[in-house]
Amino acid sequence: MKIAILPGDGIGPEIVAEAVKVLRALALPLEMETAPVGGAAYEAAGHPLPDATLALAQQADAVLFGAVGDWKYDTLPRPLRPEQAILGLRKQLGLFANFRPALCYEQLTHASSLKPELVAGLDILIIRELTGDIYFGQPRGRRAAPDGPFAGAEEAFDTMRYSRPEIERIARVAFEAARQRNRKVTSVDKANVLETFQLWKDVVTEVHRDYPDVELDHMYVDNAAMQLVKAPKKFDVIVTGNMFGDILSDEAAMLTGSIGMLPSASLNERGQGLYEPSHGSAPDIAGKGVANPLATILSAAMMLRYSLKQPEAADRIEAAVQRVLAQGLRTADIASPGCTVVGTAQMGDAVVRALG
Ligand code: NAD
């Protein structure tokens, strides 16, 4: 099992080092190779995604990614900015399925803006289609409006598109993921208004025939946004398109209250995936040894579950994180009165000890 380790910028190298420490402690036959990405790669090789880094990612079974970006690169031409590395990797590896779990640990319910009883024990998974929809649909652009009440005025337009195979493959990913969880999928659409999402709903319903052991319901996106704050625990897996998923996954992330705790994954058709924390490179705290490494450690657990097919090892890491929180250890971002505040490396060491 080969893993490409791409630490990136800011706190990336600090938090990835802790995840690597935890992976090594599992004593599995894992081959890990590190390469620069983002601003670090621009400094070293003049490009945020050098050919050698891309080749390593393509050969690996999975990529463990830290974060990229720093304000100092904001004046570079767009193709050379660190963030282009993520877009390049998504495109080159064909990563079309984005997994964003929202998990609220009992000990951290105080960090949520919702009442503790609504979020305690929350465990939902949002699966967002990542390569289609209005973000990429052609044609798009600006022009003089050809018709309508404002004909001749400047207008901008984008095109929302989804094809049957695109919907089928993301629906299958969602049903398969639900089989590893509580066997319930909510497909989120806007079929009452949009043709694109009428096709979405029809195709998801058809694919569901192959998964009779999984429960399926459909929900309009406006209602889904409401239900996520009203009764989030009634969801298990949510599957939706690129734009709705972009918005709902950030909403769900905030239910848990702490960005430093949230892993994510993006997978392609071969099950190869890129695993990264949901947060950015946090240049404001880089190099201080205070960043929370748990989102990256939990991303490594997702990698073991979804790309490397080692669910028991994934369970071990997740249980170790639970144990560390139960022991009262916290990094500064999730600290609360009565807890012991530790740094990045101490948190990584504590997770290793808690693996048992
Ligand atoms: P950010 O997520 O990096 O930071 C937001 C806030 O959360 C900061 O106060 C930061 O200190 C804190 N924070 C983030 N992760 C933390 C952790 N693990 N432990 C403790 N505190 C943490 O978002 P930003 O400040 O808007 O962006 C900073 C840089 O990151 C920018 O260059 C941006 O482009 C980049 N970015 C990269 C990615 C990515 O690599 N996938 C994603 C988002 C932002």
Side-chain angles (χ1 to χ4, degrees), residues 73-97:
Y73 301 114
D74 281 358
T75 51
L76 283 177
R78 200 164 287 282
L80 293 180
R81 291 199 198 158
E83 292 76 10
Q84 293 300 315
I86 272 276
L87 300 178
L89 281 166
R90 275 186 193 163
K91 190 164 174 215
Q92 297 295 333
L93 299 179
L95 305 172
F96 72 92

Side-chain angles (χ1 to χ4, degrees), residues 119-184:
V119 290
L122 176 77
D123 180 2
I124 63 180
L125 173 63
I126 300 202
I127 299 184
R128 165 189 172 195
E129 201 289 331
L130 208 52
T131 53
D133 208 343
I134 197 163
Y135 290 177
F136 297 103
Q138 294 291 341
R140 60 190 286 163
R142 286 191 188 207
R143 63 183 175 188
D147 47 28
F150 299 103
E154 185 186 16
E155 73 169 12
F157 64 103
D158 301 277
T159 309
M160 179 177 272
R161 292 171 69 162
Y162 264 123
S163 64
R164 175 174 283 273
E166 273 176 302
I167 304 169
E168 270 174 13
R169 67 179 183 179
I170 194 76
R172 286 196 191 283
V173 165
F175 289 122
E176 296 287 345
R179 276 186 170 162
Q180 295 194 42
R181 298 172 45 93
N182 295 320
R183 295 177 184 262
K184 186 175 168 202

Side-chain angles (χ1 to χ4, degrees), residues 31-103:
E31 190 191 324
M32 297 189 236
E33 195 176 329
T34 302
V37 74
Y42 172 75
E43 305 283 355
H47 195 277
L49 183 58
D51 290 345
T53 301
L54 177 60
L56 174 66
Q58 283 169 327
Q59 290 154 15
D61 298 299
V63 177
L64 184 64
F65 189 94
V68 292
D70 191 297
W71 316 124
K72 71 179 173 189
Y73 301 114
D74 281 358
T75 51
L76 283 177
R78 200 164 287 282
L80 293 180
R81 291 199 198 158
E83 292 76 10
Q84 293 300 315
I86 272 276
L87 300 178
L89 281 166
R90 275 186 193 163
K91 190 164 174 215
Q92 297 295 333
L93 299 179
L95 305 172
F96 72 92
N98 184 224
F99 284 39
R100 290 272 300 265
L103 223 138

Side-chain angles (χ1 to χ4, degrees), residues 11 67-71 83 276 279-285 291-292 333:
I11 59 170
V68 292
D70 191 297
W71 316 124
E83 292 76 10
E276 56 172 332
H279 58 73
S281 57
D284 53 333
I285 55 167
N292 186 347
D333 58 312

